[in-house]
Amino acid sequence: MSHNIIIAQSGGPTAVINSSVYGAVKEALNNKYIEHVYAGINGIQGILNENIFDFKYETEENIELLKNTPASILGSCRYHLRDYKEDDEDYIKIFNIFKKYNIKCFIYIGGNDSMDTVKKLSEYGKHINSSVCIMGTPKTIDNDLFGIDHCPGFGSAAKYIATSVMELAQDANVYDNNIITIVEVMGRNAGWLAAASAIARLGNSEAPDLIYLPEVEFSFEKFEKDVRSIYCKKGKVFIVVSEGIKTSDGNYVSNFTDNNNVDSFGHSQLGGVANVLRNFLSTRVEKRIKTIEFGILQRCASHCASQTDINEAVLVGREAVKYALNGKSGYMVSLKRISNNPYKCEIELVDIKKVANYEKKIPLEWINEERNFVTKEYLQYTLPLIQGEFKNCSNNGLPMYSQLNKITIREKV
Amino acid sequence: MSHNIIIAQSGGPTAVINSSVYGAVKEALNNKYIEHVYAGINGIQGILNENIFDFKYETEENIELLKNTPASILGSCRYHLRDYKEDDEDYIKIFNIFKKYNIKCFIYIGGNDSMDTVKKLSEYGKHINSSVCIMGTPKTIDNDLFGIDHCPGFGSAAKYIATSVMELAQDANVYDNNIITIVEVMGRNAGWLAAASAIARLGNSEAPDLIYLPEVEFSFEKFEKDVRSIYCKKGKVFIVVSEGIKTSDGNYVSNFTDNNNVDSFGHSQLGGVANVLRNFLSTRVEKRIKTIEFGILQRCASHCASQTDINEAVLVGREAVKYALNGKSGYMVSLKRISNNPYKCEIELVDIKKVANYEKKIPLEWINEERNFVTKEYLQYTLPLIQGEFKNCSNNGLPMYSQLNKITIREKV
């Protein structure tokens, strides 16, 4: 008897999250025991609402183009399942839908919260003796997922950040007057992305000079000293900062304004940490300050994706299906680095209980003594992940994206 | 007797301004009558200060890499020459330096202000019967230069903006809740760059929905009506706006804040027009609003350069040297579009007096009746300019840039 499979995505998008959909869909379509490859639209919410479509009715071209289509093509959600012991309503609904559609495997592609969903559903499945295999497939630009060497999505975001910082550094050198550049990078609790800017230095870039990460306490006094020291030498300072840096009392620097801070330095309530630091420096070191926020661009810039990252994203999607069809459930498909030179990763399964709800930060040994840059260990770790330029499918000078029809089962009926 | 040539850059950088340096340097090095190919560091200021280096001492590789190195490699300045009839001190100095270094041609690569410098120097040259030929080579991402079909630098910036807007549009569709996205694009008086976002729609992108340009008066009432109309239909609105839009009384929208506006809608003094519009919409239409400012990225993103743009930038650099060596002076090397399908441009010379100090705006016929988008005429004009992806020279997953030694003549002595 044939079985079906269902795939969904959750959490914030990445440039390569759809590469994992590609890997999973291709693997499932090639399996003779699988008849329907379903997708839930907008994550677990789409499954709950039977908002489901069948990849059978999508073209080969649109499936191929998934590899280069940024931002969760299946839609996303931030839906938190309650503990089934307290409230099993959602669980009953989901497993009834699994039954209704003869689902053998559920593949959930996402980050921390999504792995929590995988954990809860697989535990409930065990509890009711369900045969549905539930597997997590990792993605996050933040690279803060536990139990994996590095997370698909991070390499492409790192490549975009390093490349853009190289370009901005070129731009900052154009005029001979003094200038401070402050670049704000995503990362609420982990600084992997901001640190990736350091790779620009391997490309013979002078920038960045200083990097501030959420892993270490931020001190305004030390910051001023750091900036002043470089400013006196070069007249130009290039700073990269994680959005989530905090002072020793645990306050986000981005929240420092005139109103809530005794050391009142902000002129006005500007959004973001870069603007807070601009206000701070402008009266102390130099008025000419440029701020740049990569914002959403860093999580969707598929035109600057890393081929290594795409390959690995495809791989974890494919392997999730393979393992689920072999009866594995309650695991995340993980990458284990076997060697760094030549770079090689192997697939391993990690118990989902060891993944969900933990956050991986940059080891403190990978941050320099001055706490304002990363060490060569960080660079050795990250550099292999940005290798390879993806050859865009392009049309009319623009990238081509997958245009799935997503005709839901209900619409079909 | 052999002659020498000097090249300099001025104004804001672009992704391909160094491609014009490449074209000029290669042409000059290949000319048997030219012995030294000098460059002034930081524009006309570098020439005034004899801050000059010789391309003879640069490697072939570094000259080749100029084609893919963003941001004025020779440095820039914003130095304004006074009218020589009022004060000829700078002129005397510059022409003495031309004499001292046996300069036959001076090639100045830049935008509006730089063409003003070319005009003044060539007029003074005529006045003193100098034989130095002075030629302007156009560049600007803003595309507001007069006397040319389109300006080198614009195509690459347009490609970056259209590509990034496609990516951001994918990202905005990920969640099923309502959201407004506002993207702020450079362009103080001309909306060519903001309008380039419309090209994303040719790539099957739903976005942008609305584009606001400095060419037309901005009305907050009309804006609210436009946004509300799309919001009611789709729940998502994607807006692109030029930094330089103004209301009917001539005030920049970016200056509207609590303090200086009777219709007080701003919550706080945020920088930029996107933030002003966010504040305006957040109390009227929808609270969930994301703003993105491309900022400096749009003028230096050589990793997303248009091959057509690079080729044309090389061409105008090369032709400037050719014409100057043939005795032409006081002209800008211009591009004239011969046909659009197939796309073809020819070189023509434009009298520098017809170029300097004018600004080219988008023709009003290319803006729709509702004044919130561009017509197909704009798209037909811009689309050929973004064609072709530049194959990056890359090393370690990062772009490779030219690393000129720039050993100045004084240092050499």
Side-chain angles (χ1 to χ4, degrees):
Chain A
M1 184 195 141
S2 74
H3 293 295
N4 303 324
I5 194 167
I6 190 160
I7 302 163
Q9 293 173 314
S10 179
T14 80
V16 303
I17 185 170
N18 298 322
S19 303
S20 292
V21 176
Y22 170 83
V25 168
K26 288 294 273 188
E27 183 65 30
L29 288 175
N30 286 336
N31 187 298
K32 59 182 174 182
Y33 299 109
I34 296 292
E35 193 179 346
H36 295 283
V37 181
Y38 294 120
I41 296 176
N42 293 115
I44 198 73
Q45 257 181 330
I47 299 178
L48 274 163
N49 302 329
E50 282 191 68
N51 203 0
I52 290 167
F53 72 91
D54 191 342
F55 269 100
K56 220 181 191 172
Y57 304 108
E58 302 296 344
T59 65
E60 182 68 23
E61 188 197 9
N62 277 328
I63 291 173
E64 281 300 317
L65 284 171
L66 285 170
K67 277 183 289 186
N68 191 35
T69 303
S72 327
I73 190 117
L74 308 179
S76 184
C77 68
R78 295 211 185 266
Y79 191 84
H80 223 71
L81 285 177
R82 297 192 57 188
D83 187 336
Y84 75 84
K85 284 163 196 152
E86 283 165 26
D87 179 359
D88 61 0
E89 197 189 322
D90 279 348
Y91 295 84
I92 292 169
K93 230 172 156 181
I94 290 168
F95 277 83
N96 277 339
I97 288 163
F98 285 166
K99 204 170 179 179
K100 179 174 172 187
Y101 291 100
N102 198 23
I103 299 294
K104 163 99 178 143
C105 321
F106 170 42
I107 308 296
Y108 209 29
I109 305 166
N112 245 309
D113 290 343
S114 319
M115 294 309 131
D116 182 62
T117 301
V118 171
K119 174 174 157 276
K120 284 174 173 158
L121 286 177
S122 58
E123 279 174 353
Y124 180 79
K126 233 168 246 173
H127 172 66
I128 61 163
N129 273 325
S130 161
S131 65
V132 179
C133 291
I134 297 164
M135 291 292 284
T137 300
K139 76 80 214 161
T140 162
I141 59 163
D142 292 322
N143 202 38
D144 59 353
L145 209 52
F146 214 80
I148 188 165
D149 175 76
H150 62 278
C151 199
F154 169 62
S156 293
K159 189 183 182 86
Y160 176 79
I161 289 164
T163 303
S164 299
V165 163
M166 281 180 71
E167 291 169 343
L168 292 170
Q170 289 284 122
D171 193 282
N173 279 331
V174 160
Y175 295 99
D176 67 350
N177 22 17
N178 295 339
I179 192 166
I180 296 174
T181 307
I182 306 175
V183 178
E184 179 176 333
V185 175
M186 279 181 174
R188 206 67 185 153
N189 299 308
W192 295 102
L193 286 174
S197 64
I199 299 174
R201 290 266 283 263
L202 300 176
N204 283 330
S205 179
E206 275 181 50
D209 297 298
L210 299 165
I211 302 176
Y212 296 94
L213 306 166
E215 279 81 358
V216 291
E217 283 171 6
F218 183 83
S219 147
F220 280 102
E221 292 72 32
K222 174 66 164 55
F223 175 64
E224 186 182 345
K225 214 180 121 223
D226 289 352
V227 174
R228 200 180 286 281
S229 155
I230 289 163
Y231 182 82
C232 291
K233 266 182 271 174
K234 307 200 308 187
K236 290 189 205 287
V237 191
F238 198 110
I239 303 159
V240 176
V241 59
S242 276
E243 59 178 340
I245 54 167
K246 288 178 194 167
T247 50
S248 58
D249 50 10
N251 290 319
Y252 284 112
V253 171
S254 56
N255 290 338
F256 279 65
T257 62
D258 269 353
N259 311 324
N260 64 5
N261 181 23
V262 185
D263 173 22
S264 154
F265 52 78
H267 303 312
S268 54
Q269 201 166 346
L270 292 155
V273 63
N275 284 319
V276 171
L277 297 182
R278 167 165 59 187
N279 288 346
F280 177 76
L281 291 177
S282 66
T283 52
R284 285 168 173 78
V285 184
E286 165 64 49
K287 266 189 189 162
R288 276 177 48 89
I289 302 180
K290 289 212 168 138
T291 59
I292 297 108
E293 278 182 59
F294 289 139
I296 296 170
L297 292 165
Q298 64 204 295
R299 76 179 189 195
C300 61
S302 63
H303 75 273
C304 192
S306 145
Q307 185 65 56
T308 301
D309 194 23
I310 292 174
N311 294 348
E312 293 182 339
V314 171
L315 183 69
V316 293
R318 177 170 286 154
E319 293 292 321
V321 171
K322 270 192 201 166
Y323 278 110
L325 288 172
N326 277 326
K328 293 284 182 192
S329 186
Y331 293 93
M332 180 180 82
V333 176
S334 179
L335 293 165
K336 189 180 177 180
R337 195 178 305 214
I338 301 302
S339 86
N340 208 39
N341 196 9
Y343 170 73
K344 198 174 174 226
C345 271
E346 273 181 7
I347 289 289
E348 67 172 357
L349 294 191
V350 179
D351 187 336
I352 199 75
K353 288 192 283 295
K354 291 183 182 160
V355 177
N357 308 315
Y358 296 99
E359 270 182 331
K360 189 179 69 175
K361 300 184 178 186
I362 303 182
L364 286 180
E365 316 88 78
W366 290 8
I367 301 172
N368 70 353
E369 267 183 44
E370 289 283 327
R371 298 311 195 209
N372 57 21
F373 214 80
V374 285
T375 65
K376 69 174 190 305
E377 285 77 13
Y378 172 88
L379 297 174
Q380 284 162 357
Y381 164 87
T382 305
L383 193 59
L385 314 180
I386 68 159
Q387 297 305 307
E389 284 71 51
F390 184 64
K391 303 286 172 294
N392 251 329
C393 299
S394 74
N395 185 22
N396 248 340
L398 296 169
M400 283 173 75
Y401 297 154
S402 177
Q403 307 280 328
L404 296 180
N405 294 314
K406 298 190 202 171
I407 301 166
T408 59
I409 292 178
R410 285 186 191 158
E411 287 169 300
K412 267 232 132 19
V413 172
Chain B
M1 185 194 139
S2 73
H3 293 295
N4 303 323
I5 193 166
I6 190 161
I7 302 164
Q9 294 172 314
S10 179
T14 81
V16 303
I17 184 170
N18 298 323
S19 303
S20 292
V21 176
Y22 169 85
V25 169
K26 288 293 274 188
E27 183 65 29
L29 288 175
N30 286 336
N31 187 298
K32 59 182 172 181
Y33 301 108
I34 296 293
E35 192 179 346
H36 295 282
V37 181
Y38 294 119
I41 297 176
N42 293 117
I44 197 74
Q45 256 181 329
I47 298 177
L48 275 163
N49 302 329
E50 282 191 68
N51 202 1
I52 291 167
F53 72 90
D54 191 341
F55 269 101
K56 218 182 196 173
Y57 305 108
E58 303 295 344
T59 66
E60 182 68 25
E61 188 196 9
N62 278 328
I63 291 172
E64 281 300 317
L65 283 171
L66 286 170
K67 277 182 288 185
N68 190 35
T69 302
S72 327
I73 192 117
L74 308 180
S76 184
C77 69
R78 295 211 184 268
Y79 192 85
H80 224 72
L81 285 177
R82 298 192 57 188
D83 187 334
Y84 75 85
K85 285 164 199 151
E86 284 164 27
D87 178 0
D88 61 1
E89 196 189 323
D90 281 346
Y91 295 84
I92 293 170
K93 230 170 155 180
I94 290 168
F95 278 83
N96 277 339
I97 288 163
F98 287 165
K99 201 168 182 182
K100 178 174 172 187
Y101 292 100
N102 198 23
I103 300 294
K104 163 101 178 145
C105 321
F106 170 42
I107 308 296
Y108 209 29
I109 306 167
N112 244 310
D113 290 343
S114 318
M115 294 310 131
D116 182 61
T117 301
V118 171
K119 172 174 159 274
K120 285 174 173 160
L121 286 178
S122 57
E123 280 174 352
Y124 180 79
K126 233 169 251 173
H127 171 67
I128 61 163
N129 272 325
S130 160
S131 64
V132 179
C133 292
I134 297 165
M135 291 290 285
T137 301
K139 76 80 214 162
T140 164
I141 60 164
D142 293 322
N143 201 38
D144 59 354
L145 209 52
F146 215 80
I148 187 164
D149 176 75
H150 62 278
C151 198
F154 170 62
S156 293
K159 188 183 184 85
Y160 176 79
I161 289 165
T163 303
S164 299
V165 163
M166 283 181 71
E167 292 170 341
L168 292 170
Q170 289 285 123
D171 193 283
N173 279 331
V174 161
Y175 296 98
D176 66 350
N177 20 19
N178 295 339
I179 192 166
I180 296 174
T181 306
I182 306 174
V183 178
E184 179 175 333
V185 176
M186 280 178 172
R188 206 71 183 151
N189 299 311
W192 296 102
L193 285 175
S197 64
I199 298 174
R201 290 267 283 266
L202 301 177
N204 282 328
S205 179
E206 277 181 50
D209 297 299
L210 299 165
I211 302 174
Y212 295 95
L213 305 167
E215 280 80 357
V216 290
E217 283 172 5
F218 183 82
S219 148
F220 281 102
E221 293 71 34
K222 174 67 165 54
F223 175 62
E224 186 183 345
K225 213 180 123 220
D226 288 351
V227 174
R228 201 181 285 283
S229 155
I230 289 164
Y231 182 82
C232 291
K233 265 183 268 171
K234 307 201 308 186
K236 290 188 205 289
V237 191
F238 198 110
I239 303 159
V240 175
V241 58
S242 275
E243 59 177 341
I245 54 167
K246 288 179 193 167
T247 51
S248 58
D249 49 11
N251 290 319
Y252 282 113
V253 171
S254 57
N255 290 340
F256 278 66
T257 63
D258 269 353
N259 311 325
N260 64 3
N261 181 24
V262 186
D263 173 22
S264 156
F265 53 76
H267 303 315
S268 54
Q269 201 167 346
L270 292 155
V273 63
N275 284 318
V276 171
L277 297 181
R278 167 165 61 187
N279 289 346
F280 178 77
L281 291 177
S282 66
T283 52
R284 286 168 171 79
V285 184
E286 164 65 50
K287 265 189 189 163
R288 275 176 48 90
I289 302 180
K290 288 210 169 138
T291 58
I292 296 108
E293 277 183 58
F294 289 138
I296 296 169
L297 291 165
Q298 63 205 296
R299 76 179 189 194
C300 61
S302 63
H303 75 274
C304 193
S306 145
Q307 185 64 56
T308 301
D309 194 23
I310 292 174
N311 294 348
E312 292 180 341
V314 171
L315 182 69
V316 292
R318 176 169 289 153
E319 295 292 322
V321 171
K322 271 192 202 167
Y323 279 109
L325 288 174
N326 277 327
K328 294 283 182 191
S329 187
Y331 292 94
M332 180 180 80
V333 175
S334 180
L335 293 164
K336 188 180 178 181
R337 196 178 305 214
I338 300 303
S339 87
N340 208 39
N341 197 6
Y343 170 73
K344 198 171 174 231
C345 270
E346 272 180 8
I347 289 288
E348 66 171 358
L349 294 192
V350 179
D351 187 335
I352 199 73
K353 288 192 283 295
K354 291 183 181 159
V355 176
N357 308 316
Y358 296 100
E359 271 182 331
K360 188 179 70 175
K361 300 185 179 187
I362 303 182
L364 286 180
E365 316 87 80
W366 290 8
I367 301 173
N368 71 354
E369 267 183 43
E370 289 285 327
R371 298 307 195 212
N372 57 21
F373 214 79
V374 285
T375 65
K376 67 174 191 309
E377 284 77 13
Y378 172 88
L379 297 175
Q380 284 161 356
Y381 164 85
T382 305
L383 193 59
L385 314 180
I386 69 158
Q387 297 306 307
E389 284 72 49
F390 183 64
K391 305 284 172 296
N392 250 328
C393 299
S394 75
N395 184 24
N396 249 339
L398 296 169
M400 282 172 77
Y401 297 154
S402 177
Q403 306 279 328
L404 296 181
N405 295 314
K406 298 189 202 172
I407 301 166
T408 59
I409 292 178
R410 283 186 194 161
E411 288 169 299
K412 267 233 136 15
V413 173

